Amino acid sequence: MKNKIYSLLGFAQKSKNLFSGENTCEIYIKKKVIKLIIIAEDASHNTLKKMINLCNSNGIPYIIFGNRDMLSKSIGKINRTVFGIKDENFAKKILEIAELLNIERSV
């Protein structure tokens, strides 16, 4: 089931519906483009706190899932800890899977 999230991230990347990297995601959160944020479990405490605060203040759901290596590999990049989904359908599907897996999330 976790593999489905990784696959969806790959599809989102290929269809240009995904942003990656803390700074990039921060910009697009503020522009109200992002529908879901995925934060790697091994992100730094400061990154985790900053992204959760940004999501909460902008009403954007987030999940804390996976590690940076697996998440980065799924989109063909390296060393990324924050991922932003801009397509509503991708976001909904990932949130559904996260709920089934009891992944820590906020909506």
Side-chain angles (χ1 to χ4, degrees):
M1 203 54 135
K2 286 184 178 183
N3 288 340
K4 284 188 177 183
I5 293 178
Y6 294 122
S7 294
L8 287 169
L9 285 175
F11 290 135
Q13 174 70 23
K14 287 180 183 174
S15 64
K16 304 199 185 307
N17 284 302
L18 182 130
F19 299 109
S20 62
E22 182 180 346
N23 293 332
T24 303
C25 287
E26 181 178 352
I27 290 166
Y28 287 101
I29 286 172
K30 290 177 180 177
K31 289 183 178 184
K32 307 283 187 198
V33 173
I34 292 180
K35 308 296 183 212
L36 171 68
I37 287 288
I38 300 168
I39 308 166
E41 293 170 351
D42 58 348
S44 73
H45 177 72
N46 288 341
T47 296
L48 192 64
K49 184 178 172 184
K50 178 181 179 180
M51 296 313 296
I52 289 172
N53 287 338
L54 269 172
C55 287
N56 288 338
S57 64
N58 288 283
I60 297 171
Y62 67 87
I63 63 171
I64 299 170
F65 169 77
N67 64 53
R68 78 177 65 214
D69 293 332
M70 287 295 293
L71 290 165
S72 297
K73 183 179 177 184
S74 72
I75 66 164
K77 302 206 181 220
I78 58 170
N79 204 26
R80 306 292 167 100
T81 57
V82 180
F83 305 84
I85 304 291
K86 69 178 184 177
D87 179 75
E88 188 73 36
N89 293 321
F90 278 118
K92 283 181 185 177
K93 188 63 180 172
I94 291 170
L95 283 171
E96 286 173 16
I97 295 168
E99 187 173 341
L100 290 173
L101 294 172
N102 292 320
I103 294 172
E104 182 180 342
R105 65 191 189 100
S106 166
V107 179

